[in-house]
Amino acid sequence: MRTPPEARHETDDRLRDDAGDLTGYRIGDAYELIEPIGGGGTGTVWRARSLVQEDEHVAVKLLREDLMAEPKAVNRFVQERAILLMLRHPHIVRVRDLITVGTSLGLVMDLVEGGSLRDHLHEHGTLPPGEAAMLLAQVAEALAAAHRRGVVHRDLKPDNILLDRVDGRLHCRLTDFGIARVLDTPSMTTPGALVGTANYVAPEAVYGGSPAPPADVYALGVVLFELTTGRPTYGGGPAWAILRRHVDESPRPVEGMPEAIWQVVQHCMDKRPGRRPSARDLAATLRSVARRLRDLPALPPQVADNRLTTLERPAVPRPRSSPSRSRRPYFAVVLLALAALAVPTWNFLNRPGAGGDAARPGANSTAAPVGGHPGNASPSGRPAGRNARSDGAATVGDATPAGSAGRPPTEATEAWQDWECADSYTWDLGHPAVVQPCHAVGTERVRLIGHMKALPGVQADVTISLVDADTDELVAGPHLCSGLMFTDAAPSHDCGPFVDNPPRGHRYVVVQKWVYTGRSILPGGEARGKEFAW
């Protein structure tokens, strides 16, 4: 039966509406959508009925229509089909077809009824060590097949491992190769981009290394630890803090964990990729471990380990086996699961030298006594970063940094209002830095300052500008602070304070911009403070 043209037009309208119900929509003469059964960052997965073999059900993954205008998203979607069509393995979900649905694209895949390994873990808390080893042996075999074809999964995690039952026993099927990379073809990902999910990213990927099979093995070691303990090796905190722990720390055993499981975890999570086992060898090891531990009960679920989730805490010495300290970690867009992570908020301002009751980020105002400045600006008014300076480029009006004596020329008589800052530190996906622009209004002039905090090893040039809030026209600045270097000892810097004398009778906003130096591949950022009248 063919879908009437008017029905197809009606469905196109429903596809354009995110809330549209596609239940019953027929895709040509081949499939009929029944119900949504899952979703992710790129689209929704539907249960569908085959119109050729009516008793057969399949899964149809529809690309979000708004992503159709993004070539990289479409490329990845098509790439997933190309990769999976050439991968034939009992533990890899089979892709059957690439279809068009209205103005969107869809992948037709085998329907796996048992949910994901993540669902199974949520239901049981932890798995018996022998069962965890047997399930992941199947996954390792699937990875070995992919690696033989030059394919790296790059996002191995319990969510992408589906379960069904074969002869009454759990059977794993690896899926979602949408961000995998065929090693002998140009990558569709921005060169050097960090792709994956923070809890499972290998240290060499954090440093910008090319994706390779050992990264999948590393992630499988994290999953083995998670299945047996109920939590990943480095859980809790924002994504960048977890990524740092992958680089700086080594996993710790949990009381009661069988030694055989712990040895596999350690071997898989070795900081040196060349020391990790191949997926093929790992599969054999896991099957042997599963036989030896098949009668052991599951451990009680462990509480998430939240150590070192912020940079204020002491740094952990880097293991000798980790990459060289001279190579600075950097981050580009982290796809998929990172979007769900909470935005961290820190208190840069409440520290010695800030003066009085410095306000906290997110407050309605940032208080500082008359003549003081928030943050870690030095008494001279210069930014705290090494080699930081104000060039005063393109400055309009009386734009003068604080004087060498620590105060602008008329500060003794100037009456300053409290500092006003952006409500929270700005944190964009993929950025290893957070920023917060601020201003303070005086009787004659306006003060500007920008706070910035970043991971050790990051270096940036920062500019602070004053723009008209209505026209976005530059009014003062940009004031440049160049070469801000962030380290374990100096995780935060201020750019400013600067003093400007903009025209009266307007509304203004402080704009803080930054670019990463030495890492031109990583785009810079921009943040805006609160609007104010002058």
Side-chain angles (χ1 to χ4, degrees), residues 252-499:
R252 298 183 178 184
V254 170
E255 184 178 356
M257 175 182 285
E259 181 63 24
I261 294 289
W262 174 237
Q263 287 180 0
V264 174
V265 170
Q266 282 186 300
H267 202 185
C268 290
M269 295 186 66
D270 196 300
K271 302 293 186 195
R272 297 157 292 188
R275 298 289 297 271
R276 298 172 202 153
S278 67
R280 178 182 177 181
D281 291 343
L282 179 60
T285 299
L286 286 170
R287 287 196 178 277
S288 174
V289 169
R291 289 191 295 270
R292 289 156 52 193
L293 304 181
R294 61 187 174 206
D295 295 327
L296 287 184
L299 297 176
Q302 303 295 307
V303 177
D305 181 1
N306 291 318
R307 293 172 300 110
L308 268 177
T309 56
T310 63
L311 293 183
E312 287 87 357
R313 302 183 187 177
V316 174
R318 182 183 300 269
R320 292 182 180 180
S321 58
S322 65
S324 170
R325 175 64 103 179
S326 64
R327 301 178 61 197
R328 303 188 185 106
Y330 68 99
F331 305 84
V333 177
V334 180
L335 301 176
L336 304 176
L338 298 189
L341 294 170
V343 176
T345 301
W346 293 280
N347 177 18
F348 278 11
L349 310 181
N350 190 12
R351 62 194 306 156
D357 297 326
R360 301 176 184 275
N364 292 330
S365 66
T366 301
V370 174
H373 11 270
N376 61 340
S378 64
S380 66
R382 305 280 290 178
R386 185 170 63 91
N387 297 329
R389 67 181 188 275
S390 168
D391 288 353
T395 296
V396 178
D398 179 19
T400 309
S404 60
R407 300 176 184 272
T410 61
E411 181 148 345
T413 58
E414 187 95 37
W416 297 99
Q417 295 182 12
D418 292 340
W419 286 95
E420 292 276 347
C421 296
D423 286 336
S424 63
Y425 288 100
T426 299
W427 182 74
D428 292 330
L429 286 178
H431 279 285
V434 289
V435 301
Q436 187 182 43
C438 307
H439 72 271
V441 175
T443 53
E444 300 295 334
R445 294 172 300 173
V446 175
R447 274 178 163 178
L448 319 176
I449 196 170
H451 308 299
M452 187 171 186
K453 188 169 192 177
L455 286 175
V458 170
Q459 185 172 351
D461 292 343
V462 179
T463 59
I464 305 296
S465 304
L466 191 66
V467 303
D468 188 294
D470 297 320
T471 66
D472 223 30
E473 180 182 355
L474 179 68
V475 176
H479 308 294
L480 173 64
C481 300
S482 63
L484 298 185
M485 186 68 192
F486 297 86
T487 65
D488 286 322
S492 61
H493 292 297
D494 286 346
C495 184
F498 305 103
V499 180

Side-chain angles (χ1 to χ4, degrees), residues 161-180:
I161 301 170
L162 303 183
L163 297 176
D164 57 8
R165 288 192 177 271
V166 176
D167 298 329
R169 302 179 66 179
L170 285 177
H171 185 85
C172 283
R173 305 280 294 278
L174 186 57
T175 188
D176 205 348
F177 280 78
I179 61 173

Side-chain angles (χ1 to χ4, degrees), residues 29-52:
D29 299 328
Y31 307 102
E32 180 182 30
L33 300 182
I34 298 176
E35 61 179 348
I37 56 176
T42 56
T44 303
V45 180
W46 284 76
R47 178 192 297 271
R49 178 173 62 90
S50 171
L51 298 178
V52 178

Side-chain angles (χ1 to χ4, degrees), residues 105-128:
L105 290 173
L107 285 177
V108 181
M109 303 177 288
D110 288 340
L111 179 65
V112 183
E113 298 275 17
S116 70
L117 189 55
R118 173 77 66 199
D119 299 329
H120 191 67
L121 185 61
H122 282 167
E123 180 181 355
H124 296 278
T126 58
L127 303 185

